Structures are given as structure tokens and as C-alpha cells.
Amino acid sequence: MALAHNLGFPRIGADRELKKALEAHWHGELDEAGLRAVGRELRATHWQLQQEAGIELLPVGDFAWYDQVLTHSLMFGVIPQRFRPQHGAPSLDTLFSMARGTAADRCCGGAHAQEMTKWFDSNYHYLVPEFSVDQQFQLSWPQLFEEVDEALALGHQIKPVIIGPLTYLWLGKVKGAGAEAFDKLELLERLLPVYGEILQRLAEQGVQWLQIDEPILALDLPQAWKSAFERAYNLLQWSPLKKLLTTYFAGLEDNLGLAAGLPVDGLHIDLVRAPEQYPQILDRLPAYKVLSLGVVDGRNIWRSDLDQLLPLLQDAQQRLGERLWLAPSCSLLHCPVDLAREPQLDTELRSWLAFAVQKCAEVALLATALKQPQDADVQTALAASRAARLSRRLSPRIHKPQVQARLAAISARDTQRQSPFAQRIVQQRALLQLPPLPTTSIGSFPQTAAIRQARQAFKQGKLSAAEYAEAMQGQIRHAVQVQERLGLDVLVHGEAERNDMVEYFAEQLDGYAFTRFGWVQSYGSRCVKPAIIYGDISRPKAMTLEWITFAQSCTDKIIKGMLTGPVTMLMWSFARDDISREQQAQQLALAIRDEVLELEAAGIKIIQIDEAAFREGMPLRHAQQSAYLAWASAAFRLCASGVGDATQIHTHMCYSEFNAVLDSIAAMDADVITIETSRSDMQLLKAFEAFDYPNDIGPGVYDIHSPRVPDSAEMLKLLRKAVQLIPAERLWVNPDCGLKTRGWPETEAALLNMVAAAKQLRAELA
Ligand code: GLN
Ligand code: ZN
């Protein structure tokens, strides 16, 4: 009968125990034995939680000290020269230095950390494997085998999890001599023997089933990679282990035949992201294979609609019998741990939610419901699930007629500025009277200990609202004074009052809810606690007006108002699953639009709407990308287009790969865009050669991610490169992101040099 299994469980711990232990270890407050003990305890707890929830086959190998891709790099001996221990095997120190770099004073000159990037379309970041052209692979890290023994000793039924060879190679980058001309797929032949060894050892440990994650099967793959799948899995076929190949985050589409036909014993598909894969998959799946259906959403926090799933599962059970397995759609890494930790949540809202533990229970419940549909407990659980879904469907807290009416009334006019950019910019220049190459910043200034203490004291009730406002005003006044002294042209208020660029707004919007322990790992020890969009979004009152107008009252210079855009609000929240992302973005856009208009009415002449997450919302499959880009840029325009021509709209994006989306960024029609370019030495601007971006651009002239203060000659060099590619009259001068993580001394020093560089270039051009 249908087997309930899980693809992976959050490793960080319900209380972020792993985060705390890691940080204590890095600060020298917890030794390695202590850290290892925390890891062991977490694994034991997590297996037990899953087992108690009814999961029959538990994942092992989903735990990682920092990141699962990094664990694989150690396992295969993919350790760049600069981190390789002089003698002996790699240690936990090796692993942490690969993840975090080594400081110059700790090691010979210091080594920069491996690159980090987003795991598919999630907010989880992995460490990019770093290959060399002559890369050799050998089994170098026993963690997986140790954890298998650990789980077996606890008496668990387990299924080790590894990343498949093709996905592992796909995620990596070849660096060093000869890298450019080298196809990393050539490494496959060298890598496969190590997989062979791993399978062999797991079999010797008594493992029966192995889960091999190959999520790249849900991407548009080049033909060479498709063919490589057959080669690789034919070679691994001889192993006595049974292999479950897992795919997730999108549909298999053109790779469906390939995936179904590979010589493995089972296939997992994501039916949440791509429900259309069933029943199609049944026609292609050989009659000996297990089919694992990922039916419980591993990427959000909503309770499943079990009633809707059951008929499909009954059908699958009839056709597959014992060969049917049930699971969450993907690893639960992307979910908070346990809803039981949130007793403070309103009961109705709580009844709509499911975190990792609850999602495991849902999978198990579905399996039991197939076995014993008449069982009284099953009936009770299904009834509870039904009641929750029903209350969610009907709740007046979710569906707000005013919001619906506004959405229905949106017309093309609302998503378009009154005049084209060429006309607007003339009016804006006349109004703003800025020098050529105007200097500005991205918004935030240092979030000092004093600021954080004041916020904390206010939240704890130790500071009254008036005292808190006064403290923040003091910070704003200070930030404005510093910017005046440095000679910046367009000033900001500094965002002292904001804990986070999304949460700050979410807290003031209706339709958002917040958890206490809803943490999700972002990378290493870093966790985020996304707010939950549960209902239609509306803005009860102004969110930033008071602070921005206060800043403006402190200076005669122009203050740029600072908002977070609708797409970023959506991407960095847990979104609803009962209406489309597009519609949620529109609701957010309308709320922010009202704020934009209120700022304009209060005399604010420049308003920046940050869209840091614009690029990352992009679907994995090419075929779906243009639809996303269309609604995402429309949502931005909906939020920005209510203003008059003379009001200047800025936006900011801080990732480096926008070549493919430049035309959609242009379609957002912001008057000015500030972007990250400094780390790539203005390389990114090359994209602007091919694509003639029509509006103003501020390519970041220095990297704010490091405390290093670049001198003005260095920034001048970058600016000179920029004027080669962008006409000087459309060029702005700014750092490449917000300064909240920096301290004041380096911030002032760097901005002073930046202003000097701009003045120098102005003089040269004049
Ligand atoms: N305005 C924000 C800041 O300066 C933008 C941050 C971001 O793009 N991540 O902090
Ligand atoms: Zn940024």
C-alpha cells in the first residue's frame, strides 16, 4: 500500500539550534565535539518528529553543517587548492573556510569563500562547486555513511539522499586555467566512479533505497546533458541499491520520457508545481517502477486540500498498487519546522497552516486514507482538514470586496505614466536642478547598535511611541546631515526605522500575518522569517510618510522617498496558494501606489521603489518566463505610474544576472535604475551595449558588501568605463546597494571618495 516518505527535513532546528551552535563554534565558544553533539541531537529529533508524524521511510543526508551542495563537494573531494589542508583529511574547519573564506590573519594571505547562489527558484543559497579543468574526484568525507549508521542504530527505516551526478555538475563552475574552453560535462566520466563507490558502501551498510535528487530534469536541458543522463544512470545501474530519482520545482515536460525511462527503480515528480504530469506519467513509466507523487507543497506553509487530492490518489493506487509512494513535493528545507510553536496565532488562521511536521502528517494521513478509508481517525482528520479549507475559502478576512473592486477597475491607463520618458525627463530635470552625474545612495545607512536597541526597547514596551519616534528622528537627522556634509545631491532618510525592507511594510499592511519561529534557512547559519500573505492586501494608513517628510524638513536638498516594490514584497513572503502570484502582486502594487501618491502629494519629488527580487521570481522553464516578466513589470508600473510626469521614479536591483531580462526591466519604465556592477568591474554594463536601455542608470561604483574603502581613483576608473557605455547625461553615481550592514566610518569615507570621483568626471566632461 502507498508508502509515506519524505525528501528532506529542515535542518536548522525549531529553535534555530544549529544556527546558534554554528555561530558559537565560529566565535570559539563551542568546541567541535559540542557542535557535533548538537548536530547529532537535531538529526535524532528530526527523525523522531517525522516518524511520529507517520513517515515510513526517513531521509538521511539532508542534514548539513552549512549547505548540502557543499557537503557533496567535500564528499567528492572537490576542494579548491586554496582550502586544501596541508596534510590529512579535510576537517570541519576546511568545510567552514570553503563556506566563509579565511581571514588574512588566520591563514597565509586569506582565501575568499566559494561563490554562493540561489538554489533553483528558492531563497535558499548553495555554495557553487568549484572545479578545475584537471579536477579529480575521490571519496573524501564520511558524513553520509556516519549518519546512515547513526539512523540505523536508532532503529529507523531510512533512505539516504544524495544529489545526482548531473545536477551536481550542473550547479558547479569550472575555474582557473583553461576554464573558458572547457565543458564541465567532460567531468562526468571522472565523477561517476565515486558515485559507484558511494552506492557500494551504502549497500554494505544495509541500505535498500537511495534517493538521488536530479532537479535539473525539470529545467530546459541542452541535448548533451540529456544524453549524459542515460550514460550516467546506465553505468550506475549495476549497484544492488534501489534508486528513487527525484525531480521537483517544475514539470518534467520534454524530459518526461527521459526521466521515466532511466534505469532506476522509482521516480518522484512534483505534482504541486506541475499537476498536469499526472496521469500522463503513467503512460511512460515502466511497469516495474515506483512512482512517488509529491502532493503536499514543500515550498509554502498552507494546509493541503486533502479532499481534492484523494480521488487522484485513489486512481493512482488502483493503477500502481504497491508501487505508489507519497511525499511532499520537494524537500521540506523551505518550510518552517513546527506549527505547534505558534500558539499565539489566531485560531482560525492557524487552522489554515501546516509547517514541516504538519506536512509530514498530511502525507502520512493520505497514505492511511488510501489503506483504511473508513478508519475513524482518518475520517476525523479529513473532516478537520475540510473544515479548515472551507473556512479559508469563505473567510471575510481573506476576501475584501474593496480590494476586489479596485483590482477589477484597473485599466491600461493605470499601468502607464502620463508621458513617455523623453518628455518626463525634461520636466524632471527642470524641477530637480541636479548637476550632471548626480550622486545618491541606495537607501539605507548603517543600522547601528543604538538603532537596534531602540527598536527592541520599543517592541518590549520600554520605550514609548513618542520616545521611539524621537530616537528615529535623531538618526534620520544625523543621516541627512552627514549626506549634506559629504556633498551628495539626492539624499535619503536612511531607513533607520526599518528592521527589514519587506517586513517593515508587511507589518503595516492588512492581509499579512507573522510567526514567532517560522524560520527558514537562507544560507549557512542565516535564516529568514518570511511574513505570510493570507488575505487580500490593503493599506490602512501611510507607512513611510512621517519619516520621509521629517527627513525633507531637515534639508533643502532633495530627499528620495524609499519603498519596497510589489514583486519583492511577494517573493520574500510566503504567498497565498488560493489566488495567483500575479493577483497578489497587483494587490501589493495598489497598496504601495497609494503610498507613492501620498509621498508625492507631500512634496517628495523622487521616489525609489526597490525591486531586489524581481529577477528571482522568474520561473525555471523558458516557456513560462515571458508571462512572469510581463505581469511582474506590469505590477511595478501599476505601483509607480500614478504620479505626475515631473515626479521621478527610481528602482533598484541588486543581482548580477539581468542580461536576459533587460527588456523587461526597461518595460518597468522607471526613470532611473540603480544596479550592482562594481564587483564585475562594470562587466555587467556590457549588456547595455547590446540592449539600448532607454532611461537613466546608476551603475554601482563600489561594493558595499565589504568594509574596504575604495579610493576615488578606483571609482573614477569605473565611471570612465560606464560613460563609454551610457551617455553621461543619463548616468548616476551611487554605491551598488544599501549601506545598512556597514559602519559609519567606512560609509562616510567611501561616499566622500565617490562624490570626489563624480566631481572629477564632471570637470573632465565639462
Ligand atoms: N533600499 C534598500 C537599502 O538600501 C535596498 C536594499 C536591497 O536592494 N537589498 O537597504
Ligand atoms: Zn541592492
Side-chain angles (χ1 to χ4, degrees), residues 18 21-22 25 30-43 63 65 90-93 95-96 141-143 146-147 150:
L18 184 57
L22 283 170
H25 178 64
L30 180 69
D31 63 9
E32 179 168 334
L35 177 62
R36 287 188 181 276
V38 172
R40 199 159 44 239
E41 206 155 298
L42 280 172
R43 291 188 295 270
F63 178 83
W65 293 110
S91 62
L92 267 184
D93 272 347
L95 183 148
F96 292 135
W141 190 251
Q143 188 179 336
E146 290 167 3
E147 289 171 9
E150 199 176 289

Side-chain angles (χ1 to χ4, degrees), residues 20 45 52 116 190 278 327 341 356 396 406 417 420 527 559 584 662 696 718 737 751-753 757:
K20 292 169 191 168
T45 307
E52 283 166 4
M116 197 165 62
R190 292 181 228 165
Y278 188 90
R341 304 291 313 282
R406 280 192 77 184
R417 296 287 294 270
C527 301
I559 291 281
Q584 292 171 74
L662 257 181
D696 283 13
L718 289 178
C737 197
L751 288 177
L752 194 67
N753 293 347

Side-chain angles (χ1 to χ4, degrees), residues 442-444 495 501 562 572 608 610 612 652 654 737-740:
I442 304 303
S444 58
E495 301 180 26
M501 63 185 284
M562 204 54 62
W572 290 350
Q608 177 170 313
D610 289 326
H652 166 73
C654 45
C737 197
L739 296 158
K740 61 174 164 249

Side-chain angles (χ1 to χ4, degrees), residues 146 365 416 586:
E146 290 167 3
L365 176 63
Q416 212 170 30
Q586 285 178 332

